Amino acid sequence: MKINHRRFGRTGWDVADIGFGAWAIGGSWGDVSDADARQALNAALDAGVDFIDTADVYGDGRSERIIRDVLKERGGPRPVVATKAGRRLNPHVADGYTKANIEAFIDRSRENLGVDTLDLVQLHCPPTDVYFRPQLFDGLNELVAKGKLKHYGVSVERVEEALKAIEYPDVVSVQIIYNIFRQRPAQLFFREAQAKNIAVIVRVPLASGMLTSKMNAQSTFAADDHRNFNRHGEAFDVGETFSGVPYEVALEAVEALRSSVPQGATMAQFALRWILMEKAVTVVIPGAKNAAQAQANAQASALAPLQEEVLEHARKIYDELIAPHVHQRW
Ligand SMILES: NC(=O)c1ccc[n+]([C@@H]2O[C@H](COP(=O)([O-])OP(=O)(O)OC[C@H]3O[C@@H](n4cnc5c(N)ncnc54)[C@H](OP(=O)(O)O)[C@@H]3O)[C@@H](O)[C@H]2O)c1
């Protein structure tokens, strides 16, 4: 199967443009068995995926440890594994983002992932104030010099946080939500990222599964699935759940998008290909809970480019239905 590659900013890495988001194989998405989790990751890697996104808090380390075990079993060339730090802080406040705290989190991730040096550590959607504290970024440079990580980047909630973060010269990547329901990064941030050769990691590409078109007004979610417990932002930023679009509005938009799905593709693949139309994007990281999902998602890399009228239709649906709910929030 063909999978396309893109240059990962200034790192020198080339990565497949479809990666693997490893949140759901950790926790917060209902029950995902160890077997399903491992099969999902293996299927992605078999399909040529070579970029994995995880975090120390996904299943409190379960996601990182599954990745460690699967990669150890497979042997061979290692994919790039990006993890995140910061969300173990309790309370999760800017003052907690000290070099000492972050170093302790990084040490735990090194252990969980079974490596001396992490490939990429991302600050995990820290409070906005953190981006205005240069001493933290100096501290991260010291940890790079110590050999605990190769590179660092940020995962942000808002476009303006991304713009601030890339003022720091050693930030190599920004992870941000960008999908048919969240189009603002393309207006403000992507040109700046390209100008500075920043790698852009796109998360929540399927709007938490909504953009697969499999949901309806009767769909239910397990009590430990954030699509149940964070529907209104009760546990973390509401933008991480269905991209912050009210459920009924999202269903209406998905119906309106159906006619745009290319023949032979699923809506999920169409949604991923839509993201890849943007040159500033380096890698899209759909989550997957089983092998079939991971495989289908990787196949989106090889879809033909979308026609201009299709892009226009997606813009129109965004402007009319979605933008009023999200555009000025993130
Ligand atoms: N703050 C942060 O930094 C942050 C926040 C969120 C996510 N992320 C990262 O971004 C990654 C992706 O985002 P996400 O997982 O939140 O959302 P997503 O990729 O938009 O949606 C993933 C979910 O959609 C469903 N799905 C995936 N592929 C499918 C397919 N082909 N057919 C049908 N259903 C499919 C699965 O759930 P069901 O089968 O249960 O529907 C899956 O768990 C995460 O795994 C994580 O690595 C980071």
Side-chain angles (χ1 to χ4, degrees), residues 21 53 155 175 206 208 214 227 240 285 287 289 293 297:
D53 179 76
S155 182
Q175 183 179 136
L206 303 172
S208 316
K214 68 181 177 185
R227 293 169 296 185
E240 306 299 343
I285 49 166
K289 295 166 108 173
Q293 290 181 352
N297 293 342

Side-chain angles (χ1 to χ4, degrees), residues 8-283:
F8 196 90
R10 301 188 301 266
T11 62
W13 300 330
D14 270 310
V15 300
D17 55 11
I18 302 282
F20 182 86
W23 182 17
I25 67 165
S28 308
W29 285 81
D31 190 35
V32 180
S33 70
D34 279 354
D36 277 345
R38 295 160 67 96
Q39 283 164 20
L41 180 53
N42 270 309
L45 296 166
D46 288 344
V49 164
D50 57 8
F51 183 91
I52 303 170
D53 179 76
T54 183
D56 54 1
V57 288
Y58 294 166
D60 196 21
R62 178 184 180 222
S63 174
E64 290 183 326
R65 290 189 293 269
I66 288 173
I67 293 164
R68 174 193 64 201
D69 293 347
V70 166
L71 295 184
K72 195 167 165 209
E73 262 169 40
R74 291 175 69 93
R78 276 183 71 84
V80 172
V81 181
T83 192
K84 310 191 195 78
R87 290 261 154 186
R88 291 180 62 75
L89 291 167
N90 186 12
H92 181 242
V93 292
D95 285 346
Y97 277 78
T98 62
K99 182 189 156 200
N101 283 341
I102 296 297
E103 183 166 12
F105 298 152
I106 283 176
D107 286 341
R108 182 171 175 274
S109 287
R110 290 163 67 223
E111 170 119 24
N112 279 342
L113 284 164
V115 294
D116 289 336
T117 308
L118 299 170
D119 294 326
L120 178 69
V121 174
Q122 304 158 94
L123 299 179
H124 197 167
C125 292
T128 304
D129 260 9
V130 168
Y131 300 102
F132 293 83
R133 297 186 179 186
Q135 59 278 19
L136 174 64
F137 294 85
D138 292 341
L140 287 167
N141 281 335
E142 288 166 27
L143 298 179
V144 171
K146 269 190 178 177
K148 295 193 173 186
L149 64 155
K150 287 183 199 144
H151 297 287
Y152 61 84
V154 293
S155 182
V156 302
E157 298 289 6
R158 299 194 175 99
V159 164
E160 282 69 18
E161 292 168 342
L163 290 167
K164 177 63 185 157
I166 64 174
E167 286 184 15
Y168 297 99
D170 297 309
V171 167
V172 298
S173 62
V174 169
Q175 183 179 136
I176 193 161
I177 300 182
Y178 174 63
N179 60 38
I180 298 174
F181 287 176
R182 290 284 282 274
Q183 301 196 17
R184 189 164 175 259
Q187 290 180 359
L188 281 172
F189 167 61
F190 285 169
R191 299 294 82 77
E192 281 298 301
Q194 274 184 307
K196 292 187 171 172
N197 200 7
I198 300 290
V200 173
I201 303 168
V202 169
R203 75 170 180 270
V204 196
L206 303 172
S208 316
M210 175 59 76
L211 283 167
T212 64
S213 77
K214 68 181 177 185
M215 290 168 191
N216 58 47
Q218 283 74 46
S219 301
T220 54
F221 303 93
D224 57 348
D225 185 326
H226 71 102
R227 293 169 296 185
N228 180 335
F229 70 75
N230 196 52
R231 187 76 72 89
H232 305 287
E234 296 89 335
F236 43 80
D237 193 301
V238 69
E240 306 299 343
T241 304
F242 300 125
S243 297
V245 180
Y247 191 77
E248 301 296 332
V249 175
L251 287 178
E252 189 186 344
V254 166
E255 276 318 306
L257 281 167
R258 265 187 212 283
S259 59
S260 288
V261 177
Q263 246 195 342
T266 63
M267 186 173 292
Q269 291 168 329
F270 159 66
L272 297 173
R273 189 66 185 87
W274 181 90
I275 294 166
L276 290 172
M277 290 301 292
E278 174 56 64
K279 296 275 177 298
V281 168
T282 308
V283 55

